[in-house]
């Protein structure tokens, strides 16, 4: 191949979304940004690039199962890498634990949704009449 071919000065540029959401569940889900009415349906094994966001400091999403009457989950940050656990309610009102795995590959952050089949990472229930405050001590405290 000659250095002086007609394409020797050509550069290839790839455009990809910053965030891509993939549904690894076996049911349809909906997602949206908190405090908005615009939501997107995501079928099993489907993935969608997120393009438009509100102009906020924190980029967050909230989830729910597809269908009428399902409540939205608590919001979670999508630009913090690692695993996050989200509670979602199925049609019978049972709680489902969803693992949200947030990974970085090159310039794209992948948000992958899985049904958690293991035990909950932690769960605190206050069944008393007294208020309970739970917090984590900073690691440098004695």
């Amino acid at each position: 191949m000659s250095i002086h071919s007609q394409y020797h000065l050509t550069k290839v540029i790839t455009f990809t979304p910053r965030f891509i959401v993939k549904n690894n569940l076996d049911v349809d889900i909906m997602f949206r940004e908190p405090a908005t009415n615009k939501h997107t349906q995501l079928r099993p094994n489907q993935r969608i690039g997120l393009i438009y966001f509100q102009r906020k400091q924190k980029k967050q999403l909230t989830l729910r199962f597809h269908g009428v009457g399902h409540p939205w989950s608590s919001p979670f940050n999508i630009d913090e890498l690692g695993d996050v656990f989200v509670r979602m309610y199925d049609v019978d009102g049972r709680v489902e634990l969803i693992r949200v795995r947030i990974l970085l590959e090159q310039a794209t952050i992948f948000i992958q949704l899985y049904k958690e089949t293991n035990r909950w990472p932690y769960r605190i229930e206050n069944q008393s009449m007294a208020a309970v405050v739970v917090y984590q001590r900073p690691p440098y405290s004695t």
Side-chain angles (χ1 to χ4, degrees):
M1 181 170 171
S2 169
I3 283 184
H4 299 291
S5 70
Q6 66 182 8
Y7 300 110
H8 78 280
L9 295 176
T10 301
K11 298 213 185 246
V12 176
I13 299 172
T14 304
F15 291 95
T16 61
R18 176 67 172 154
F19 299 96
I20 294 178
V21 180
K22 182 170 186 215
N23 180 9
N24 291 314
L25 304 171
D26 56 358
V27 294
D28 293 7
I29 59 136
M30 310 294 281
F31 69 88
R32 69 174 186 183
E33 284 186 85
T36 64
N37 291 329
K38 185 179 178 186
H39 58 272
T40 303
Q41 180 177 348
L42 198 57
R43 299 195 182 283
N45 297 313
Q46 182 184 8
R47 65 182 183 173
I48 294 178
L50 303 178
I51 299 171
Y52 301 106
F53 278 102
Q54 296 179 12
R55 298 197 183 270
K56 291 185 175 181
Q57 279 307 100
K58 294 196 178 257
K59 305 234 181 301
Q60 296 182 322
L61 287 181
T62 183
L63 307 170
R64 75 175 172 96
F65 289 116
H66 179 67
V68 178
H70 295 285
W72 290 98
S73 72
S74 297
F76 57 92
N77 296 336
I78 61 172
D79 52 2
E80 295 178 7
L81 303 179
D83 287 352
V84 176
F85 294 92
V86 176
R87 277 197 291 186
M88 293 174 53
Y89 295 89
D90 68 8
V91 264
D92 300 323
R94 291 187 311 252
V95 176
E96 295 283 341
L97 187 62
I98 305 301
R99 177 192 301 260
V100 180
R101 179 162 287 160
I102 303 171
L103 306 165
L104 177 66
E105 288 185 21
Q106 296 179 343
T108 303
I109 295 177
F110 288 91
I111 304 156
Q112 301 174 347
L113 308 174
Y114 299 93
K115 181 176 180 180
E116 183 57 47
T117 56
N118 295 324
R119 299 186 66 134
W120 289 44
Y122 61 88
R123 184 174 177 164
I124 300 171
E125 291 184 11
N126 180 11
Q127 296 182 352
S128 71
M129 298 300 287
V132 176
V133 177
V134 178
Y135 65 95
Q136 183 174 350
R137 182 183 301 175
Y140 51 83
S141 297
T142 56

